[in-house]
Amino acid sequence: MTLDDLRVFVAVCRTGSLSEVARELSCTQSAVSQHVKRLERETGLALLERLPRGVVPTPAGQLLNGAAAGGLGDIDHALRLLKEQVHGEGGSIRITTGATTVRHFMSEAVVDFRRQFPAVRLEFRTATSSRACFDALLAGGLDLAWITLGEPVRGIEQRPVVELPWVLAVAADDPLAGKSRISTADVADVRLIALPENATSRSRLDSWFAASGVEPTSDTSVADWDTAILLAELGLGHAVVPDLPAWHGPAHPRLHLIPLPELPPLWTGWAVRRWEALPPLARSFADTVEENCARTFPAGGDTARR
């Protein structure tokens, strides 16, 4: 059993696909399979169950993956820091997050941080969901993830930073645009633009609607919140989205955002493997983002009433 065997096995558990891991590693699927088979010979147990579309870990595989993922992440992280010390580099911070996060939550913080630490590299890796961010953290090589907070995840610590109220986004000439607030019952009568399929925000919204006995219909599904806002402003549908300051003001003259106070707010923030093990530079960047968010996002979630 080698570290490479474990790394490949954790990657297979993360992706659910031998072929996808082979593409990531630029090797053959047979080579990936050999790593897994070595672990199975060592443990004497089947670690993967083959399905018509991909693979999933067996109970034994889940146990090994849970133990290996965090440990490998710590090892790879330590090796990266040691390499930077040997080569005398200014250091780097690696963040995984959604496609629009930097624009809405980090743009000013990035500028402030680069002024303070000009030699430090900031590396951003786009993920399609909070779950993908968690998987990337556990796989190692990353410092921070900006996520939509949800259920606890083993091996991950989550820290709330920004509380976001929900709003209904409509075009200025929409019949609902004159309302000062809207109820979940009102939403049942409109066709919504669905949020990204794998996003935590969508699952939370669907759960809250179901608990309220509301089943809104959807015509369109989008890849991110910004696209939902654009379609709503163009009059191509209605979108229930978390409220962000960037959507207010002259940049969106035909957009109206109507508060939905019945919905519990959504929290976004940081996720890490362990805060106490976070390198000082990464902690400094996280703190800079939090400080900027405190200035950008009004306390009490009153953005939509401006």
Side-chain angles (χ1 to χ4, degrees):
M1 181 187 303
T2 67
L3 286 177
D4 283 342
D5 292 337
L6 291 171
R7 286 192 179 96
V8 170
F9 175 70
V10 168
V12 170
C13 291
R14 170 172 53 84
T15 61
S17 169
L18 296 172
S19 59
E20 184 171 341
V21 173
R23 286 193 297 271
E24 288 181 3
L25 300 178
S26 299
C27 66
T28 65
Q29 185 170 327
S30 175
V32 172
S33 182
Q34 287 302 315
H35 283 288
V36 176
K37 288 179 179 177
R38 238 188 326 264
L39 291 175
E40 291 182 327
R41 286 196 299 268
E42 182 80 14
T43 61
L45 294 167
L47 300 176
L48 294 177
E49 179 183 356
R50 275 68 176 177
L51 301 176
R53 294 185 178 180
V55 296
V56 296
T58 63
Q62 292 174 10
L63 180 63
L64 180 60
N65 180 54
L72 286 171
D74 289 340
I75 291 171
D76 289 339
H77 186 71
L79 290 174
R80 176 165 65 88
L81 294 179
L82 291 173
K83 180 180 178 181
E84 290 174 352
Q85 291 181 21
V86 169
H87 293 284
E89 299 176 9
S92 63
I93 303 170
R94 298 178 181 176
I95 306 107
T96 180
T97 188
T100 62
T101 294
V102 176
R103 179 189 313 135
H104 289 297
F105 298 99
M106 299 184 189
S107 56
E108 293 183 8
V110 167
V111 174
D112 291 346
F113 186 82
R114 290 303 299 272
R115 286 173 180 159
Q116 188 175 2
F117 301 100
V120 177
R121 298 189 309 277
L122 292 174
E123 302 177 15
F124 293 92
R125 299 186 185 180
T126 301
T128 57
S129 66
S130 294
R131 178 70 258 180
C133 288
F134 296 144
D135 289 342
L137 277 177
L138 291 172
L142 296 171
D143 300 300
L144 295 156
W146 185 272
I147 50 113
T148 300
L149 273 68
E151 298 298 322
V153 177
R154 182 181 177 184
I156 297 290
E157 297 180 16
Q158 301 180 47
R159 173 180 292 182
V161 177
V162 177
E163 182 185 33
L164 299 173
W166 291 89
V167 291
L168 179 69
V170 302
D173 57 356
D174 191 274
L176 296 173
K179 287 182 171 287
S180 60
R181 61 180 55 203
I182 198 167
S183 69
T184 52
D186 294 327
V187 176
D189 299 326
V190 300
R191 302 184 74 85
L192 295 181
I193 300 165
L195 298 183
E197 185 174 355
N198 296 322
T200 301
S201 56
R202 175 167 174 173
S203 63
R204 298 291 291 274
L205 187 62
D206 290 345
S207 296
W208 290 328
F209 278 148
S212 302
V214 175
E215 296 184 9
T217 55
S218 299
D219 287 326
T220 307
S221 182
V222 295
D224 54 62
W225 296 345
D226 280 338
T227 304
I229 285 293
L230 174 61
L231 295 180
E233 187 172 14
L234 292 173
L236 300 179
H238 305 76
V240 175
V241 292
D243 191 19
L244 298 176
W247 295 334
H248 296 260
H252 295 277
R254 298 192 67 255
L255 181 68
H256 277 238
L257 301 172
I258 311 167
L260 263 163
E262 293 177 20
L263 293 182
L266 194 72
W267 280 93
T268 62
W270 290 118
V272 301
R273 291 193 303 276
R274 290 196 307 274
W275 280 103
E276 66 271 16
L278 199 64
L281 283 172
R283 184 179 292 274
S284 179
F285 179 72
D287 290 343
T288 302
V289 171
E290 292 188 32
E291 291 165 3
N292 275 272
C293 283
R295 294 193 293 267
T296 303
F297 292 85
D302 59 355
T303 305
R305 292 186 288 275
R306 291 189 304 171

